[in-house]
Amino acid sequence: MNTRRLGAAALLLAASLSLSGCGYNEFQRQDEAVKANWSEVLNQYQRRADLVPNLVATVKGEANFEQETLTKVVEARAKATSIQATPELINDPQAFQKFQAAQGELSSALSRLLVVSENYPNLKANQGFQDLRVQLEGTENRITVARNRYIKTVADYNTLARSFPTNLTAMMFHYEVKPNFTVENEKALAEPPKVDFGAAPAASR
């Protein structure tokens, strides 16, 4: 009986060492890190989405403000928040790309709104608008930090999934390569909006 127990214990130990050596435990650790960093990305995107209604309401108080610009912001926010960002989304390249595109549209629409607001002296002098602008800019910075952390974590995870011999473990336990934010998208977000100071103000005073 003791021999059987010793044999079973030896097999259990061998199995544990085998799983550890093939990267199974590292996959567990990195998969959890990816999920945690993704949650932080979503938190910051939600923080931005929560600021938009107040920002739009404040801008609406400015006479003759460009309605097309406001409409695009509202529509972009609705599109971005309509996508259910479940944990499974980070394992679905097509869904991830759709989510990324929607958030990019909202970024562009908000950048356009802030550029257009430069044409309205009363809006620039509005303390409520300026406070919201500062909050929005701070949130955009937090989004950039969260995204960069996520990008690094996914890169580490994908390297593990593609490298030998851990790629064998990935195939055995279905650890698929995860989609990531594209380099093109990162460059677009890092590019400051272009302001044409030679353009005529959108509204006459």
Side-chain angles (χ1 to χ4, degrees):
M1 195 70 177
N2 289 335
T3 303
R4 288 183 180 178
R5 287 180 179 175
L6 287 173
L11 286 174
L12 182 61
L13 178 61
S16 298
L17 291 173
S18 176
L19 287 174
S20 177
C22 67
Y24 178 82
N25 291 340
E26 185 63 13
F27 271 115
Q28 298 297 308
R29 186 186 70 78
Q30 291 202 18
D31 190 47
E32 289 302 317
V34 169
K35 290 176 183 175
N37 283 315
W38 176 243
S39 294
E40 183 58 24
V41 171
L42 294 182
N43 285 340
Q44 298 307 328
Y45 275 139
Q46 185 60 53
R47 180 188 177 94
R48 179 175 69 176
D50 291 342
L51 286 173
V52 172
N54 288 337
L55 185 67
V56 170
T58 302
V59 173
K60 276 184 177 179
E62 178 67 17
N64 302 320
F65 192 87
E66 289 186 14
Q67 289 303 307
E68 182 182 357
T69 300
L70 276 176
T71 299
K72 285 185 177 180
V73 169
V74 173
E75 290 178 348
R77 180 189 184 276
K79 185 175 180 180
T81 55
S82 69
I83 299 174
Q84 190 175 6
T86 62
E88 289 74 24
L89 186 146
I90 58 176
N91 296 314
D92 184 340
Q94 188 174 2
F96 187 90
Q97 185 177 17
K98 183 178 178 182
F99 176 84
Q100 177 182 343
Q103 294 296 340
E105 286 180 25
L106 180 53
S107 294
S108 297
L110 286 169
S111 293
R112 174 60 183 167
L113 184 147
L114 295 181
V115 169
V116 171
S117 70
E118 294 296 320
N119 292 327
Y120 296 85
N122 290 342
L123 192 57
K124 289 171 66 176
N126 184 314
Q127 189 58 49
F129 175 78
Q130 292 305 321
D131 289 345
L132 286 168
R133 181 171 189 153
V134 169
Q135 290 182 58
L136 181 61
E137 290 171 351
T139 300
E140 291 291 354
N141 289 334
R142 291 188 183 93
I143 288 172
T144 299
V145 171
R147 282 166 56 95
N148 286 341
R149 287 175 179 166
Y150 178 79
I151 289 168
K152 175 63 169 60
T153 308
V154 172
D156 290 342
Y157 173 93
N158 286 345
T159 298
L160 187 69
R162 288 174 171 147
S163 300
F164 181 83
T166 50
N167 63 329
L168 302 178
T169 303
M171 288 188 288
M172 182 181 298
F173 292 97
H174 305 290
Y175 286 110
E176 305 291 341
V177 170
K178 297 182 186 295
N180 210 342
F181 292 107
T182 63
V183 175
E184 290 75 13
N185 186 259
E186 287 299 305
K187 288 180 179 177
L189 286 176
E191 228 176 87
K194 296 179 181 178
V195 183
D196 182 6
F197 289 105
S204 58
R205 289 287 181 265

